[in-house]
Amino acid sequence: MESETARRRRRGAVGPADDVTVRRALVETAERQLADSTDGDIATRAVCEEVGVTQPVLYRLFGDKRGLLDAVADAGFERYARRKQELEVTDDPVADLHAGWADHMAFAAGNPALYQLMFAPRPQSASTAHQRILELLEATLVRCAAAGALRTTPRQAAQLILSANVGVALGRIAQPSLYDDPSLSERARDAVFAAVLTDADTRSGPDPVGAAARQLRYRLSLSGTENLEPAEAALLDRWLERLDQPD
């Protein structure tokens, strides 16, 4: 059992080593209590009592309850990112995009309370989880663009795909009886992917020059080239961007 001295140290939580340990314990406890909550909320007092620290320690480390929840959301992103790293990266980025959609839905189903914290809007939240997940998705879409499989920019496609993915997942979590169609996720995915992805027969689309510029731009972003000086490469990137977005 924990000694009285150790308990007193934790309650005071003084020093960098203590701060790291206590911060991690508070985040893990808050997530666990959030998952067990019936109303999707936690009490800082209950979190502190379980960890064995005073509330001033929590406020010193996180600022307030909102800061603690932001830390829980960001810890959720780290777990999400580890899942993504474990997914196989194939030579077919479009297939990888499909796998990513399915894995996102699985993460939401397996961590409903955490998922809502990460993605449901919270006033004045400073969590970076949503932005960082958008960037992970955009990285896969860069590979799609380099393969000539994207109708628009990776950023625009990522915004549309993630919005749809999150909307379906949150709907299933918050109102499962309303969003009870088992094929809803696949139908939403197919509709969104059709809006942002090309197919083998229409890779060039209505703007073949823009499509070619987009593909070359993102191929270069992945592989680079030794044939251009940095200033020349930057200028080429700007020209290709203009050709891709003439307006």
Side-chain angles (χ1 to χ4, degrees), residues 12-59:
V14 177
D18 281 341
D19 282 356
V20 170
T21 300
V22 172
R23 181 183 177 86
R24 181 170 57 249
L26 287 168
V27 168
E28 292 174 352
T29 301
E31 181 183 341
R32 184 167 56 254
Q33 292 191 5
L34 184 67
D36 293 339
S37 171
T38 58
D39 60 1
D41 198 8
I42 59 170
T44 56
R45 182 183 298 276
V47 173
C48 290
E49 287 178 353
E50 182 173 337
V51 174
V53 298
T54 60
Q55 285 188 283
V57 171
L58 183 149
Y59 297 140

Side-chain angles (χ1 to χ4, degrees), residues 46-121:
V47 173
C48 290
E49 287 178 353
E50 182 173 337
V51 174
V53 298
T54 60
Q55 285 188 283
V57 171
L58 183 149
Y59 297 140
R60 178 173 62 80
L61 293 174
F62 299 99
D64 54 18
K65 179 179 177 179
R66 183 174 58 245
L68 173 61
L69 291 176
D70 284 344
V72 173
D74 287 337
F77 166 78
E78 300 300 337
R79 188 183 311 162
Y80 180 96
R82 286 194 296 271
R83 286 173 63 106
K84 291 300 181 185
Q85 291 170 355
E86 292 171 359
L87 291 177
E88 180 184 5
V89 177
T90 72
D91 293 332
D92 185 347
V94 173
D96 294 346
L97 194 63
H98 279 76
W101 177 287
D103 185 69
H104 186 104
M105 295 300 300
F107 179 85
N111 306 274
L114 177 62
Y115 188 88
Q116 285 182 298
L117 179 67
M118 292 169 64
F119 288 101

Side-chain angles (χ1 to χ4, degrees), residues 154-177:
R155 185 68 172 183
Q156 291 172 332
Q159 291 171 342
L160 182 57
I161 292 171
L162 187 59
S163 296
N165 215 174
V166 169
V168 172
L170 286 177
R172 282 184 161 179
I173 291 170
Q175 296 181 299
S177 61

